[in-house]
Every structure is written in C-alpha cells, then in structure tokens.
Amino acid sequence: MNRRKGLFLVITGAIFWGIGGTVAKKLFQQYEIDIDWLVTTRLLIAGFLLLTVQFFGKDRSQVLGVWKNRRIAIQLIIFGLFGMLTVQYTYMASIQHGNAAVATLLQYLAPIMIIVYLIFRKHTVLTRRDLLTVSLALVGSFFLLTNGSISQLSVPTLAIVWGVLSGIALAFYTLYAVPLLKQYDSLVIVGWAMVIGGFALSFIHPPWQMGFTYLTLEAYSYLIFVIIFGTMIAFWFYIESLQSLLPKESSLLGSVEPLAAVLTTVFWLKEPFGFFQWVGTACIMGMILLLALKKRSFSDTSKPPENEEPLKVS
C-alpha cells in the first residue's frame, strides 16, 4: 500500500511540474502576465507554504534553526539567489520566448553539464555510459532545436539562450545544495530558497504591482495551478514519495515531467512540433532514463547519498 502511494505521489507531482510550465506559457501568451511578477509571486507563496508544511508536519525547529549558523545562512542566501531564483527565472523566460516543452527538455541537460564539470575538475572519469548520455543529449538537442535543418532554428534564439542558462543554473543548484541537504530537511532548504529568491525579485517587481487590470476566472485558475499545484504540491508530493520509494525510483518516475510538458504543449496549446523534434525529444528522454537508472552517483560531491532527498525545481 505504501509503495502504491509513493508511485501515485511521484507520478502526480511530475505531471503537475510538466503541466505547470505549459500553463505558465498560456498565461504569458493569452493574458500577457509579466514574467517578473509571476516568478516573484510563485516563489514567495510556494516558499511560505513549504515552510508551513515543515512547521506543522516535521521538525519545526529547523525552520528558524537554519539561520543560527552564520556559514549555513550565507550558503542559503547564495543558494536562494544564484540557485533557486536563477533556475526559476531562466526557466520561465525560456517558456515565455519559446514553449514549455523545449524549456523543460533544455533544463534537463543539466546532468550532462554536471558530468562535464566533474570530469574537468577530475572528480570522476569519463565512462562509456557518460559518452552515450552526452551523445544522446547533443543529438537530441540538435533535432529538438533545428527539426533536422542545419540552415535554421525551429525555436526562437532567446528561448534557446534562456533554456541553456536554465540548465547551467540547475547544474549549480544541484551541486551547491548537497552540503545544505546533509544538515537540514529539503523542505526547509527549498522553502527558504524560494522565499529569498522571491524577496530579492520583489525589489524589481513588487508582487502587489500586478501589471494587469483585469483577469478572467479562467486566468486566476491558471495562476492558482502554477503556484499551488505546479510548484508547492508538485514538490511536496515528490518529497513525500521518498518515504516509500528509493531515490533512484523517484528520479526515474520524475522523468514523466518533460513528457507531460511536451504532450500538453503539442495537444493543448497546439504548438507545432516536427518529426525530428520528436526524435530529439526521444533522445533526451532516453538520456534522462539512462541517468536515472544509473546505480552509482557521478561522485560523492555531485549527488546526495541514497538516504538524502534529491531536489526538484521546475
């Protein structure tokens, strides 16, 4: 029964993440929601909700206890600004200029960036599996972005730039979070990181300055979905699934996210997706599955131990 519950939670959470990106694209496209306002609001509300869950459901002392150590506090601020905020903003910017499918798939190139980084830092050695995953990522990205044509791109340049930056930010986010996760629950680290990122962006676009005068009931329902279901509940369900599933299993099932983003982008938003872009999507999905099935971590510094909770950010 517990295993069935874990499977339900991780699959539902991943689907919410994937659909959340597509719904955000709908808000940008149809209602001209300002990206700064959406990212600020999403981070602040979801962050406070996650901290509330921690306060009432787990070790409440950690919520404020994380700030008692100066070194940890500084690391958390850096993580919130250059990890959480950067990942969220670049991901949403890629969606705004392109679509959720491409943005999500480009963000999932982060593991390849981590492999390359660790090889250059001599923390790991290049293996055949690494060569295969890098090849799948490169071939998949080529087909995804060009649809098989070497003369033109099928995706706006800005969407590609923001998507690649999102992947780089996610790689930093993943590596930098490891020491923090070893000392505090992931709900505390991610919750505060969201609040820090949202607070910082508030100086650029205060959440109370919405930038729009009128939204339909449908638009408000989309906003609620992105903030509550596509961020807070999606992350919560993923973390809860680890109570009855192995981290490797949760990571593998989490690859439903880009699939959900692609399907909803194509069939709900009616975004054009060529044959070779489907081939590229298959390559990147294969790369994700190959990495998720990998039994050992890239190195001791690149991934938390089996009893640690991996992070999700989309």
Side-chain angles (χ1 to χ4, degrees), residues 5-303:
K5 178 183 176 182
L7 292 171
F8 168 79
L9 289 174
V10 69
I11 292 173
T12 303
I15 291 173
F16 280 167
W17 267 312
I19 298 176
T22 309
V23 175
K25 176 62 178 180
K26 182 77 169 180
L27 290 170
F28 295 143
Q29 196 175 54
Q30 184 171 336
Y31 298 99
E32 299 181 350
I33 296 293
D34 184 85
I35 182 175
D36 293 342
W37 180 85
L38 180 60
V39 174
T40 303
T41 306
R42 181 190 192 200
L43 287 175
L44 287 174
I45 295 177
F48 279 120
L49 287 174
L50 288 174
L51 291 175
T52 301
V53 170
Q54 176 72 28
F55 185 82
F56 287 104
K58 294 187 177 182
D59 183 2
R60 65 176 61 186
S61 65
Q62 288 195 21
V63 175
L64 295 179
V66 71
W67 295 105
K68 294 180 179 180
N69 185 306
R70 182 180 178 184
R71 180 178 59 85
I72 295 296
I74 292 174
Q75 288 180 332
L76 184 56
I77 292 172
I78 292 173
F79 178 62
L81 295 177
F82 299 102
M84 178 64 71
L85 175 58
T86 306
V87 166
Q88 294 282 355
Y89 191 90
T90 52
Y91 175 66
M92 284 294 172
S94 183
I95 292 175
Q96 183 185 41
H97 293 287
N99 58 60
V102 172
T104 304
L105 291 167
L106 286 175
Q107 189 183 69
Y108 265 77
L109 296 178
I112 300 304
M113 299 176 186
I114 293 175
I115 290 176
V116 174
Y117 170 80
L118 293 174
I119 289 173
F120 274 107
R121 290 295 302 270
K122 298 182 179 179
H123 288 284
T124 187
V125 295
L126 187 65
T127 65
R128 291 181 180 178
R129 184 187 288 265
D130 292 335
L131 284 173
L132 179 58
T133 53
V134 170
S135 298
L136 283 172
L138 293 176
V139 172
S141 297
F142 172 78
F143 284 133
L144 177 69
L145 302 177
T146 66
N147 196 28
S149 173
I150 60 174
S151 60
Q152 62 181 0
L153 296 173
S154 296
V155 179
T157 304
L158 276 177
I160 298 173
V161 172
W162 283 116
V164 172
L165 289 175
S166 179
I168 295 173
L170 179 54
F172 169 80
Y173 173 103
T174 302
L175 292 172
Y176 196 82
V178 173
L180 293 171
L181 272 181
K182 289 180 179 179
Q183 300 179 65
Y184 296 94
D185 288 342
S186 56
L187 287 178
V188 174
I189 299 301
V190 176
W192 275 119
M194 286 182 173
V195 171
I196 291 167
F199 179 75
L201 199 57
S202 296
F203 288 97
I204 298 174
H205 196 120
W208 56 86
Q209 295 179 1
M210 293 182 287
F212 48 82
T213 56
Y214 174 75
L215 287 179
T216 64
L217 182 62
E218 180 184 56
Y220 280 112
S221 67
Y222 290 156
L223 279 173
I224 292 172
F225 185 90
V226 170
I227 295 170
I228 304 299
F229 292 91
T231 307
M232 184 263 176
I233 291 181
F235 178 81
W236 187 14
F237 277 18
Y238 186 86
I239 293 299
E240 285 298 313
S241 74
L242 294 164
Q243 301 297 322
S244 51
L245 298 177
L246 294 173
K248 183 181 74 174
E249 294 175 312
S250 292
S251 297
L252 174 61
L253 293 168
S255 62
V256 173
E257 177 190 352
L259 182 61
V262 170
L263 293 178
T264 51
T265 296
V266 173
F267 296 106
W268 183 47
L269 295 186
K270 309 297 183 183
E271 294 275 353
F273 222 66
F275 171 76
F276 284 104
Q277 287 181 299
W278 283 109
V279 173
T281 300
C283 288
I284 294 177
M285 289 295 297
M287 179 268 293
I288 295 169
L289 293 173
L290 193 62
L291 288 171
L293 287 169
K294 190 172 184 179
K295 293 183 179 180
R296 59 182 180 84
S297 61
F298 301 135
S299 77
D300 291 338
T301 61
S302 66
K303 182 181 176 182

